[in-house]
Each structure stands twice: as structure tokens, then as C-alpha cells.
């Protein structure tokens, strides 16, 4: 079972409606997030409000930078990343946690790109506070061609049983 990708289930133990506690998570577990699509109008609207650099708003300027079209802003990509992962986070008994996140944008994201994230548990450790445990997770966000587009690592705080 180790390293097996699953949509929040562990055969014979956890049901689709069961939320996972810290003790339910094991190193090597993998979870699949929702598929999301980078929509051109949303990309443009987001860029106009939050990051109005030319490669995000002007196709000619983007092509002048060696890109094939406008690209999504990093913040927009991070928002899609979170939207995809929300399906996983909702399955955990998770507490607010902000130990940090590391994110790498490996490929430009263009309008129409379809992305899906897969979370892998890298490590687990008890919190210094009782009733809590940390999981270290890596998420690979693949595009419609199966190429790694975004990689992130984060620590998530879960409730113990």
C-alpha cells in the first residue's frame, strides 16, 4: 500500500465520508486533488488587479519575451493550486497552520492549461502541543500533457485522535 495514490480512502479502514486524523496518515501516502483549468478571462482579470506586468496582460509583449502567449501570474497559479488541494484538505482534520510553504513554478501556465495536483506525504511528526501532529507534504501539479508545472512543499497541522 505504501506510495499508492488514492482519493482519500484506505481499503477496509477509511470510508469516503471519513475525515483523516494525524494517525491515519502514513509516509508515502498519496492523495489526488481536483482538476482545475486556467481560464483566460480570469487570468487577465486577476493580473489587471494584482500583477499588471506585460507578460500577464499583453500577448505581443509576452511573445516578445519568448512566450507563446500571456502567462498566468504566480499568485493566480497559487490560487489554482489551493483550489485543487482543497478537496484533499477537506478530508483531513486540519488546523490552521502557517509554518511555511515552498513553491516552484516549473513551466509557464497558459490559458486553457488543465492542471491536477497529487500530494505525497514525506514525513510525519508529533507536535510539541498535545493532540496535534505535523505532516510534511509535497504536491506536484501536472498539466494536461503530464508535465510537472508546479511543485510545492508545506507542513500541515492535523488533529490527533
Amino acid at each position: 500500500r505504501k506510495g499508492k495514490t488514492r482519493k482519500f480512502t484506505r481499503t477496509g479502514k477509511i470510508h469516503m465520508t471519513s475525515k483523516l486524523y494525524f494517525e491515519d496518515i502514513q509516509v508515502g501516502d498519496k492523495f489526488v486533488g481536483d482538476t482545475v483549468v486556467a481560464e483566460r478571462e480570469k487570468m487577465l482579470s486577476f493580473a489587471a488587479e494584482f500583477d499588471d506586468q506585460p507578460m500577464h496582460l499583453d500577448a505581443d509583449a509576452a511573445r516578445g519575451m519568448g512566450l507563446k502567449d500571456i502567462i498566468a501570474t504566480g499568485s493566480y497559479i497559487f490560487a489554482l493550486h489551493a483550489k485543487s488541494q482543497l478537496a484533499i484538505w477537506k478530508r483531513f482534520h486540519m488546523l490552521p497552520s502557517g509554518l511555511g510553504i515552498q513553491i516552484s513554478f516549473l513551466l509557464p501556465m497558459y490559458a486553457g492549461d488543465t492542471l491536477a495536483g497529487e500530494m505525497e506525504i514525506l514525513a510525519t511528526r508529533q507536535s510539541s502541543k498535545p493532540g496535534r501532529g505535523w505532516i510534511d507534504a509535497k504536491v506536484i501539479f501536472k498539466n494536461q500533457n503530464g508535465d510537472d508545472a508546479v511543485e510545492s512543499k508545506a507542513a500541515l497541522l492535523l488533529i490527533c485522535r
Side-chain angles (χ1 to χ4, degrees), residues 37-44 76 80 83 110-113:
V37 177
E39 298 177 35
R40 186 177 193 85
E41 291 308 312
K42 288 183 180 180
M43 285 172 48
L44 287 167
Y76 179 79
L80 288 179
K83 184 178 181 179
Y110 296 101
D113 280 357

Side-chain angles (χ1 to χ4, degrees), residues 61-135:
R63 283 190 283 280
M65 295 177 194
L67 301 163
K68 66 180 186 178
D69 197 0
I70 62 166
I71 59 171
T73 69
S75 298
Y76 179 79
I77 296 168
F78 184 73
L80 288 179
H81 178 278
K83 184 178 181 179
S84 173
Q85 296 309 293
L86 188 58
I88 297 170
W89 299 337
K90 285 180 175 181
R91 301 305 308 147
F92 296 159
H93 280 288
M94 200 161 89
L95 295 166
S97 47
L99 257 180
I101 186 167
Q102 175 186 352
I103 190 162
S104 299
F105 303 106
L106 307 174
L107 294 173
M109 183 180 299
Y110 296 101
D113 280 357
T114 302
L115 304 152
E118 180 179 274
M119 176 186 288
E120 179 179 2
I121 307 305
L122 302 176
T124 62
R125 63 190 182 284
Q126 290 291 324
S127 171
S128 59
K129 295 182 180 177
R132 303 172 179 200
W134 289 100
I135 59 172

Side-chain angles (χ1 to χ4, degrees), residues 37-58:
V37 177
E39 298 177 35
R40 186 177 193 85
E41 291 308 312
K42 288 183 180 180
M43 285 172 48
L44 287 167
S45 175
F46 192 97
E49 184 171 354
F50 298 107
D51 190 355
D52 63 352
Q53 295 182 69
M55 70 278 217
H56 303 311
L57 294 168
D58 182 333

Side-chain angles (χ1 to χ4, degrees), residues 3-69:
K4 180 180 175 187
T5 301
R6 59 197 171 109
K7 283 199 179 233
F8 328 118
T9 62
R10 191 170 286 153
T11 305
K13 214 173 174 190
I14 303 295
H15 301 286
M16 287 294 284
T17 57
S18 299
K19 281 192 145 189
L20 301 174
Y21 290 90
F22 172 72
E23 296 86 355
D24 298 322
I25 308 296
Q26 298 176 12
V27 172
D29 280 351
K30 293 182 180 180
F31 303 90
V32 177
D34 287 342
T35 298
V36 294
V37 177
E39 298 177 35
R40 186 177 193 85
E41 291 308 312
K42 288 183 180 180
M43 285 172 48
L44 287 167
S45 175
F46 192 97
E49 184 171 354
F50 298 107
D51 190 355
D52 63 352
Q53 295 182 69
M55 70 278 217
H56 303 311
L57 294 168
D58 182 333
D60 290 332
R63 283 190 283 280
M65 295 177 194
L67 301 163
K68 66 180 186 178
D69 197 0

